[in-house]
Amino acid sequence: MALLEIKDIHKSFGNLHVLKGIDLTVNKGDVIAILGPSGSGKTTLLRCINYLETADVGFMTFKNQSYDLSNTSKKEIADLRKHTGFVFQNYNLFANKTALQNVTLGLTVARNVSKEDADLIGMQMLEKVGMQDRANHYPSQLSGGQQQRVAIARALATSPDIIYFDEPTSALDPELIQEVLSVMKTLANEGMTMVVVTHEMAFAKNVSSHVILMEEGKIVEEGNSKDFFENPKQERTKEFLRKEEM
């Protein structure tokens, strides 16, 4: 049974038609890597699925509940987001709050969890991403990789059914990328369902279960990771993979 099913998403910004009828199915435990050149619509797709943008057209089924992506109530969006996590490219941490406070904020504010219980969960999540010793540090005192690990801990704190990652390593220096990918690999091995927009080919090849290539708002090719990398069917996919290997 699919955890998440998307049908026919379209999204335009003015005259620019960014998404042109995307379908996507995510089963529990899937790790889906979305690849593609800049401007292909990958981030917009992720943002529409989590209502950070409103699609012009499109339907979604999540945990057997149906949604019209172009017309959803604030209550429905709030309920939906209780089951999802989102990790942004630029961390999106609150500069005036410690690592622990950033992780617990969603619990205390959105879910009325007591501070004591939230701190307990927060420390467990920071430990999971190897950041427990930085719990009282502010974002300005952390490297980019450490900030992104705090952001992942924040996404995990609410026990989501699925986490969306929007190019989680693209803002990082090369030597910091691995520490974030390592955390994501651990989550994948533990069965966390993830949809990851990424340029990291090794992650897509070795960690994801399913790969999608997007270009100009459409899906060019998709398939299980092994087939996608070892036996791509579309000429455009072969060309894309050749360029990435250079």
Side-chain angles (χ1 to χ4, degrees), residues 67-217:
Y67 301 88
D68 178 346
L69 287 167
S70 66
N71 183 22
T72 310
S73 71
K74 284 183 177 174
K75 183 186 184 306
E76 283 178 315
I77 293 171
D79 288 346
L80 184 81
R81 285 196 185 143
K82 286 179 179 171
H83 301 280
T84 67
F86 202 104
V87 177
F88 296 87
Q89 190 173 331
N90 294 316
Y91 333 129
N92 280 24
L93 299 178
F94 290 101
N96 63 339
K97 297 196 179 302
T98 65
L100 180 60
Q101 288 168 337
N102 267 285
V103 173
T104 59
L105 197 64
L107 295 170
T108 54
V109 174
R111 301 188 180 219
N112 298 320
V113 175
S114 72
K115 183 182 182 305
E116 191 178 14
D117 288 347
D119 284 350
L120 198 63
I121 295 167
M123 286 306 294
Q124 287 171 347
M125 295 305 118
L126 287 172
E127 186 174 356
K128 197 173 182 65
V129 300
M131 288 294 293
Q132 68 273 30
D133 59 337
R134 298 281 194 280
N136 295 317
H137 286 56
Y138 289 90
S140 62
Q141 299 171 303
L142 302 173
S143 71
Q146 289 171 332
Q147 289 185 62
Q148 193 59 296
R149 283 190 279 155
V150 171
I152 293 172
R154 175 180 61 188
L156 288 168
T158 55
S159 300
D161 292 287
I162 188 168
I163 300 181
Y164 304 113
F165 291 83
D166 181 18
E167 300 198 19
T169 59
S170 67
L172 299 178
D173 294 332
E175 67 270 22
L176 301 177
I177 288 173
Q178 212 46 52
E179 65 186 63
V180 173
L181 291 179
S182 174
V183 169
M184 293 170 67
K185 186 174 182 178
T186 300
L187 295 179
N189 290 339
E190 291 173 355
M192 173 57 73
T193 308
M194 303 193 279
V195 179
V196 185
V197 169
T198 185
H199 289 290
E200 297 295 332
M201 290 296 130
F203 177 87
K205 190 172 188 176
N206 302 321
V207 181
S208 73
S209 54
H210 193 87
V211 181
I212 290 170
L213 176 65
M214 284 181 65
E215 186 170 53
E216 295 182 353

